[in-house]
Each structure stands twice: as structure tokens, then as C-alpha cells.
Amino acid sequence: MFPNHQTSPHARPAGSFSVFFALVSLLSLAFEAHAEPYTVFTVRMKGSAEGVGLSARKLAIEDAQHQVMVDVLQSMTNSSDISLFNPVLRQASRYIQRYDLLRSDVIGQMTEVEIDAHVLERPLRHDIAAIMLPRLPRKPSVRLVLAEFIGPEAQERGPTFSIAEEVVRKPLEDFGFRLTGIHDVIDHVEVSQLLDVVQGDLAAGAAFARAISEDVLVTGSVTTSHEPLTPGSNMLRNRARAVVRVISGPDGKLLDTLTAEALVQSVDYEEGGAQAVQDACGKLTGECVVAIVLAVLGMEDENRV
């Protein structure tokens, strides 16, 4: 699709520091606005260290934690050059919420342990993406198909395709992703099919993703609800809920589902609803960048990365 410009895996790409800190800043703002419990997954691993006693057991546990991170990094990035992630490996305990010590054995002058490590997924994903974004040999192509349903009659009237896309598009453009939207396909796709795609029909989303020529499809919808702030008040509480899905273009596989909510008070429901849609989507922009980077890293066809 695009030329495959190979770079040395050990070379530091031009501008890598600025890209790294730009993504870190974007993710920090999103986290402050939308802090939620981290997803945790469990990895069982063995570790060992020379010696016996408490100190040796501590070193064996640290070895097991290190091996956990190596396995997870290889799985999430398909990278054989783990040295790229030395900053992550040096802080393995930062990504492990806790561990359960399943066994500890002394064999000769060696201490061996087995642990269940409970790994924090979100900060690990963020740091992997921040490291790998400036090292992608080429920037991915992304199709944005995002709808907003604003107002009490939006489901009957139908969605618009402007506010959510505009919010998500800006940071993706800033990172150099190659973007297309809905406007060059809207005349060639049935409206009912588009509605199925944006509202989360898995089969429709997979078929649409495979039919387009992009690496990644980012699709979803934002819906609003409106109620008086107090009984009889003309001031409205406008709530927006965004559900965004990241789908692999080559195979139509659902890779990630992102959600966020926002609340805005206003007199006019259209004005307040539009602002709530913007705020909800703004909370997901950093996560969209992360999901796209990880999607590209996970593609099996190395010529596409």
C-alpha cells in the first residue's frame, strides 16, 4: 500500500523525542480527564537466583517478574529486539500490580520460585506505544467512520458524521497517520450498513474493514441523553457516551473497544450535546493512538509494518 522504508532497529529516528513526549502528554491529559480502573491480566512465570534465604528468594521473584515482562512485550509487539524496551524492563514492578507466590524451592545453591503476576495493561500499552510510535517504518493508514446521535430524536432522524471525526482526526494527523473519513464512501454504502458498522455489529464491521484499503478502521458512535438539571429547570444535563472500536483492515478482527462519557450543562440540548460529544471523544484520542500503534505492530504481514 505504501513504500516500506526500513530503518535500523537500533537507530533513534529523527524527532523521536518530540513524538514520544507528545504522546505521553496526550495520554496524561486523557488519563486526568478519564481515570478509570486499570485492566489487569495474569501471567504465570518461574524465576531463579543463586543462593538461598530471603535475599535469594527476592532476586528470584524479580527474575520471574522480568521474564513476565519479556513475554508480554514480545506478545504485544511481535518484536524480536527486546532491547528497545529496556526502559520498561528496568521498571518491571511498575507494571505489576501485585504477584502471588505459588511456590519457592531450594535446589542445591539455587532458589526457584513460581508466581502469578497481575499485570497492569493500560500503562504498559501506553509506554509500548510511546516507544514504538517514532520507530514505525511507516505511518499507518486509518479510516475514520464515527457517528454522533445528538438529541431526543436522533435515533429516528439519523446520525451526523462530523463532530466525533473532527475531534479524533486532529491528534492522528499530528502524529502523521494517513487518514480518510466517511465522505468518499458514504455515497457507495447503504445507510443501513453504515449504521450497523458504527453501532457495533461485529460482522458488519469486519466486512467493512476488509473491504477498505486501510490498515486500521476506527469506528463507533456517540449518543447523548438530556434531562433537566432540576425539576422544572430550563437548564439541561447533557450526557454523551462514546463507544469506539479499532478493527484490523486486513482481516477484520476487532482489536480494541474504547469507551468514555462526558457531562455538560446547557440551556440548548443541541449545543450542550455537541460539546458533550466533543469532550467524550477528546478523552479517547490518546487511547486511539495507542490502539492503532499496537494494531500495526500486531499485524502478521511484516511488509505492512
Side-chain angles (χ1 to χ4, degrees):
M1 187 183 309
F2 301 117
N4 186 13
H5 302 297
Q6 298 293 335
T7 60
S8 167
H10 298 286
R12 185 176 300 278
S16 62
F17 280 120
S18 61
V19 173
F20 176 88
F21 286 113
L23 180 54
V24 169
S25 176
L26 182 63
L27 290 169
S28 297
L29 291 173
F31 175 75
E32 290 173 4
H34 183 54
E36 62 180 19
Y38 285 152
T39 300
V40 177
F41 60 92
T42 303
V43 180
R44 182 163 296 182
M45 187 61 63
K46 296 177 180 178
S48 62
E50 293 185 358
V52 298
L54 294 177
S55 296
R57 187 173 71 178
K58 180 176 181 293
L59 291 174
I61 291 171
E62 291 175 353
D63 179 60
Q65 292 177 323
H66 178 86
Q67 294 304 320
V68 164
M69 297 307 300
V70 169
D71 276 15
V72 171
L73 288 167
Q74 289 176 330
S75 174
M76 293 179 72
T77 66
N78 283 343
S79 175
S80 59
D81 185 8
I82 295 300
S83 66
L84 291 172
F85 305 103
N86 282 339
V88 172
L89 293 173
R90 284 194 294 266
Q91 304 180 69
S93 61
R94 174 175 178 263
Y95 307 96
I96 297 177
Q97 184 184 59
R98 64 182 178 85
Y99 66 86
D100 300 321
L101 181 60
L102 304 179
R103 66 176 184 85
S104 177
D105 301 318
V106 174
I107 301 176
Q109 293 299 309
M110 293 289 294
T111 297
E112 296 184 354
V113 300
E114 186 174 24
I115 66 171
D116 274 348
H118 304 281
V119 182
L120 295 165
E121 182 177 17
R122 189 177 178 195
L124 181 58
R125 285 166 52 90
H126 288 184
D127 289 352
I128 289 173
I131 290 170
M132 293 306 297
L133 177 56
R135 292 177 169 83
L136 294 177
R138 64 171 178 80
K139 296 302 170 63
S141 59
V142 181
R143 172 82 63 173
L144 300 177
V145 181
L146 299 167
E148 55 270 350
F149 296 82
I150 300 175
E153 300 176 355
Q155 292 296 333
E156 292 76 18
R157 186 176 65 246
T160 56
F161 295 87
S162 57
I163 300 174
E165 178 181 322
E166 182 179 354
V167 174
V168 174
R169 173 181 287 271
K170 179 62 167 64
L172 302 188
E173 286 180 335
D174 290 344
F175 287 115
F177 294 177
R178 306 188 182 200
L179 302 178
T180 50
I182 192 175
H183 300 293
D184 61 338
V185 299
I186 196 167
D187 293 332
H188 307 287
V189 181
E190 294 290 336
V191 173
S192 60
Q193 181 185 353
L194 280 177
L195 290 176
D196 287 342
V197 172
V198 300
Q199 292 181 319
D201 184 291
L202 295 180
F208 187 85
R210 290 192 297 267
I212 62 177
S213 58
E214 278 71 41
D215 296 319
V216 179
L217 168 65
V218 176
T219 186
S221 62
V222 193
T223 57
T224 66
S225 61
H226 312 268
E227 60 184 12
L229 190 60
T230 59
S233 171
N234 65 345
M235 182 67 71
L236 296 173
R237 181 183 291 111
N238 308 280
R239 189 182 305 275
R241 175 173 172 78
V243 180
V244 174
R245 298 168 186 85
V246 179
I247 302 175
S248 168
D251 57 18
K253 180 181 178 182
L254 177 64
L255 302 174
D256 213 340
T257 301
L258 311 172
T259 63
E261 293 188 356
L263 184 65
V264 172
Q265 297 179 11
S266 71
V267 174
D268 181 78
Y269 77 82
E270 289 188 352
E271 178 183 337
Q275 185 61 57
V277 167
Q278 291 177 353
D279 293 351
C281 291
K283 295 176 181 180
L284 294 180
T285 54
E287 297 294 342
C288 282
V289 174
V290 170
I292 292 168
V293 171
L294 294 181
V296 173
L297 293 176
M299 289 179 180
E300 294 183 2
D301 183 358
E302 293 183 356
N303 291 328
R304 295 181 62 84
V305 180

